[in-house]
């Protein structure tokens, strides 16, 4: 299929019955997988969720490709203004398919770089603008709501910078908007200014939107084959529809991860890619898993405070910074290794001997072999310490496999939400902080939240 899931080291025969799953526990939970599949299918059929249908939208992909072809050669930088799901997917795509940051090739009009403004740290924004040339920059502003405070504020700065450096007419031609079709002030501004605009479906949340215009527009503009992404995602969508649990990779992975949480108390999942190209994807996944599954109440309205905290770790880098804790600290984690069968280059180590044992046992071998040995050794060491772990193995990292992997992780998340009996597609926990921000910044209609913040400050002062 191109991606395999290996659950062996989650089993009781490998890590013991206290931390590993017995055959009886897994068999007893299998009906919940069938229910989860039916639940996600029902949500899709009713139009409540839209991410499963994104790979079918070849018309949108062609429209985006046509636009990218028209503007190609007029910019050496794509400046993406967005936050959260409006930015992480684009970074993951760029990192995986054009090379991990900061070791990409020289950026030119034939190989434009991607600069993502996803934080309102003023020094960061100032330095980013200073690094770009307005006449060689294409700005893509992304906000589903059209009113995300961080995105709007940054875009106001970027728009002013673009007009000052390239002129008002060129600034309009160099601005692309991705937002909802029927609502939001960003859509109104885009219409009034005549910006090129792409829309995303209302039933696709930001963290599930990487295969919508949110991810496809910046990807096409930096030269990624977006139709290959969608082909891979379509293949995984077909896999996610299978009723045979052994053949449905995202459903099986969801069941094992949920059982690790609910039966074995593994409240933390470490996403552990052993490939720098997948490092951005780990951060994208961190939002997907955290925002989807961290919920106060279940669908019955009962207080549950459920969720599994995702952590990103990079192999082999984090073997030297986190694994001490993972081996000997609290046994409250499940580890999910992401690896690649066929690295693009082996990294051959020179064969010449130095006469030094600490060097010579490595000569004539390869970095790829060492990386694989490090991965297998870490898995074995964790297993000996009764630390449950599993793995996703990708045949290679290319556009089609990455599309498959994105869709796999999105389906796994959706299935996990059904198994936990929660709504994986809302994010009420994020909204209160946004409303406090609107109140503090003086947005109309949010004065009550400013008062509530004032009361909070009074309590802090005693």
């Amino acid at each position: 299929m191109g991606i395999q899931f290996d659950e062996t080291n989650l089993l009781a025969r490998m890590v013991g019955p206290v931390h590993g799953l017995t055959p009886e526990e897994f068999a007893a939970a299998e009906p919940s997988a069938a229910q989860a599949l039916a639940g996600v299918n029902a949500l899709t059929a009713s139009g409540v969720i839209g991410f499963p249908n994104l790979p079918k939208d070849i018309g949108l992909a062609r429209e985006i490709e046509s636009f990218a072809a028209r503007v190609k050669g007029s910019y050496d930088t794509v400046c993406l203004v967005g936050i959260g799901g409006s930015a992480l997917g684009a970074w993951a795509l760029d990192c995986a398919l054009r090379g991990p940051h900061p070791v990409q090739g020289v950026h030119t009009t034939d190989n434009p770089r991607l600069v993502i403004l996803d934080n309102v740290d003023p020094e960061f924004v100032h330095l980013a603008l200073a690094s770009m040339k307005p006449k060689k920059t294409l700005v893509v502003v992304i906000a589903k709501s059209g009113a995300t405070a961080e995105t709007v504020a940054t875009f106001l700065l970027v728009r002013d910078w673009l007009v000052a450096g390239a002129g008002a007419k060129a600034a309009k031609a160099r601005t692309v908007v991705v937002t909802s079709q029927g609502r939001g002030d960003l859509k109104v501004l885009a219409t009034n200014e005549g910006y090129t605009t792409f829309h995303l479906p209302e039933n696709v949340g930001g963290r599930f939107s990487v295969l919508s215009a949110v991810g496809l527009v910046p990807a096409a503009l930096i030269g990624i084959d977006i139709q290959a992404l969608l082909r891979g995602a379509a293949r995984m969508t077909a896999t996610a529809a299978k009723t045979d649990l052994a053949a449905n990779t995202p459903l099986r992975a969801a069941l094992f991860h949920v059982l690790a949480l609910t039966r074995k108390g593994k409240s933390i999942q470490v996403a552990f890619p052993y490939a720098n190209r997948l490092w951005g994807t780990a951060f994208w996944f961190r939002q997907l898993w955290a925002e989807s599954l961290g919920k106060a109440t279940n669908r019955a309205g009962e207080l549950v405070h459920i969720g599994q905290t995702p952590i990103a770790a990079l192999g082999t880098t984090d073997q030297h910074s986190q694994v001490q804790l993972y081996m000997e600290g609290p046994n409250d984690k499940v580890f999910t290794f992401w690896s690649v069968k066929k690295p693009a280059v082996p990294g051959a180590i020179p064969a010449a001997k130095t006469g030094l044992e600490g060097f010579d046992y490595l000569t004539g071998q390869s970095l790829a072999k060492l990386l694989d040995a490090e991965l297998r050794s870490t898995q074995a060491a964790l297993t000996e310490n009764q630390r449950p772990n599993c793995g996703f193995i990708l045949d290679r990292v290319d556009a089609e496999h990455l599309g498959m992997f994105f869709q796999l992780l999105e389906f796994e998340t959706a299935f996990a939400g059904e198994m936990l009996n929660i709504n994986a597609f809302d994010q009420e926990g994020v909204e209160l902080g946004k409303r406090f921000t609107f109140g503090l910044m003086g947005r109309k209609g949010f004065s009550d939240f400013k008062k509530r913040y004032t009361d909070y400050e009074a309590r802090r002062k005693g």
Side-chain angles (χ1 to χ4, degrees), residues 74-82 98 107-108 112-119 121-141 154-166 174-175 222:
S74 66
Y75 56 92
D76 62 16
T77 300
V78 174
C79 176
L80 191 159
V81 182
R98 299 208 311 152
H107 296 109
T108 65
R113 65 173 173 157
L114 179 66
V115 173
I116 299 176
L117 303 186
D118 62 347
N119 194 0
D121 180 333
E123 196 165 344
F124 166 64
V125 175
H126 170 77
L127 291 171
L129 293 178
S131 76
M132 300 182 288
K133 298 177 181 179
K135 292 181 180 180
K136 288 292 185 180
T137 300
L138 194 65
V139 175
V140 181
V141 55
T154 304
F155 178 53
L156 289 172
L157 284 170
V158 172
R159 185 176 69 154
D160 187 66
W161 167 83
L162 200 56
V163 169
R174 291 186 167 278
T175 301
I222 57 176

Side-chain angles (χ1 to χ4, degrees), residues 15-37:
V15 293
V18 174
H19 300 289
L21 294 164
T22 65
E24 294 77 18
E25 287 173 321
F26 185 76
E30 283 192 74
S32 70
Q35 293 166 5
L37 177 59

Side-chain angles (χ1 to χ4, degrees), residues 79-241:
C79 176
L80 191 159
V81 182
I83 196 169
S86 296
L88 287 168
W91 177 45
L93 288 165
D94 189 35
C95 181
L97 299 177
R98 299 208 311 152
H101 300 180
V103 294
Q104 293 183 346
V106 175
H107 296 109
T108 65
T109 53
D110 290 326
N111 181 41
R113 65 173 173 157
L114 179 66
V115 173
I116 299 176
L117 303 186
D118 62 347
N119 194 0
V120 291
D121 180 333
E123 196 165 344
F124 166 64
V125 175
H126 170 77
L127 291 171
L129 293 178
S131 76
M132 300 182 288
K133 298 177 181 179
K135 292 181 180 180
K136 288 292 185 180
T137 300
L138 194 65
V139 175
V140 181
V141 55
I142 305 176
K144 180 179 179 180
S145 70
T148 307
E150 299 91 339
T151 301
V152 169
T154 304
F155 178 53
L156 289 172
L157 284 170
V158 172
R159 185 176 69 154
D160 187 66
W161 167 83
L162 200 56
V163 169
K169 183 178 180 181
K172 290 182 180 182
R174 291 186 167 278
T175 301
V176 182
V177 167
V178 179
T179 190
S180 297
Q181 186 165 9
R183 63 184 176 95
D185 287 347
L186 180 58
K187 169 62 177 175
V188 174
L189 180 66
T191 301
N192 291 343
E193 294 293 319
Y195 298 146
T196 297
T197 304
F198 296 93
H199 302 111
L200 65 155
E202 283 293 338
N203 62 357
V204 176
R207 59 190 178 274
F208 290 89
S209 68
V210 64
L211 297 173
S212 74
V214 169
L216 298 183
V217 168
L221 291 171
I222 57 176
I224 290 172
D225 183 348
I226 61 175
Q227 293 211 40
L229 283 170
L230 296 182
R231 283 197 302 273
R235 288 178 61 191
M236 185 54 64
T237 300
T239 298

Side-chain angles (χ1 to χ4, degrees), residues 401-444:
H401 282 78
L402 194 65
M404 292 173 64
F405 197 39
F406 278 130
Q407 198 77 336
L408 187 161
L409 294 172
E410 290 182 1
F411 268 111
E412 183 193 7
T413 302
F415 290 142
E418 293 300 299
M419 293 173 193
L420 295 170
N421 192 29
I422 59 171
N423 183 354
F425 304 99
D426 66 2
Q427 55 278 333
E428 286 302 309
V430 180
E431 300 305 315
L432 182 57
K434 291 181 180 179
R435 291 164 188 153
F436 276 133
T437 299
F438 288 151
L440 289 173
M441 296 302 289
R443 185 175 178 182
K444 187 177 180 180

